[in-house]
Amino acid sequence: MIKEIIKETDNKMHKATEHVRNELIRIRTGKATTNLLDGIKVDYYGTLTPISQVGNLSTPDIHTITVQVWDKGTLPLVERAIINANLGLNPINDGNLIRIPIPALNEERRKELVKLVKKYAEDGKIAVRNVRRDEIERLKKAEKDEHFSEDDRKHAEGEIQKLTDKHIKEIDLIVQQKEKEIMEV
């Protein structure tokens, strides 16, 4: 029972950490990366389809993303989906492919993005800590139901704290990398 609780705790904390990582991937750093378009879905014949499944995404240079659609009839749909995603990107449809210029960031915008990164990080840390709290409560309840001893519970709480520290440290590393990426000129 204890090992199961610890494993579930690790999985829940890992999901929180991955959520932070995925949110930070979407933050624009002034360099073109196809990851910026990951969350965009195109209304493709009545089905919301990820943009990567309607065409090839590429970065011909560090300031441009291109989308080469397989069905030219979907060009306006892809263009509209990119605009509606509110990423601050202005796609250019030339009739054959969509070019998305990635503007360079000014210093003020970089600082705003760093604040946003820190907010996502703090939200992730709170999620990890909430998992810790919930799982420790679960351990205490299981102990009262006499599934195991107080020593076993305290040992398990120590393991859960180690997992908490590990995942918070991982979030800090992700944030450090993203801040460095944003602040590079």
Side-chain angles (χ1 to χ4, degrees), residues 56-73:
N56 288 326
L57 307 177
S58 64
T59 52
D61 60 60
I62 65 166
H63 295 295
T64 310
I65 300 172
T66 59
V67 181
Q68 178 74 51
V69 295
W70 295 307
D71 175 1
K72 294 214 194 264

Side-chain angles (χ1 to χ4, degrees), residues 129-145:
R129 290 185 197 114
N130 286 342
V131 169
R132 176 188 63 194
R133 182 197 64 220
D134 294 345
E135 295 304 314
I136 286 176
E137 286 300 315
R138 186 172 159 199
L139 281 170
K140 288 177 181 175
K141 184 179 182 321
E143 179 195 3
K144 284 181 183 170
D145 294 341

Side-chain angles (χ1 to χ4, degrees), residues 29 37 64 79 103 112 136 140 147:
T29 60
L37 306 180
T64 310
E79 183 180 16
E112 287 174 20
I136 286 176
K140 288 177 181 175
H147 292 296

Side-chain angles (χ1 to χ4, degrees), residues 90-116:
N90 296 313
I92 301 165
N93 179 350
D94 69 6
N96 291 318
L97 103 134
I98 295 176
R99 294 182 200 289
I100 306 162
I102 306 297
L105 299 174
N106 62 26
E107 191 65 26
E108 183 179 323
R109 181 67 178 140
R110 289 177 196 274
K111 288 178 181 173
E112 287 174 20
L113 289 176
V114 168
K115 284 181 187 174
L116 182 62

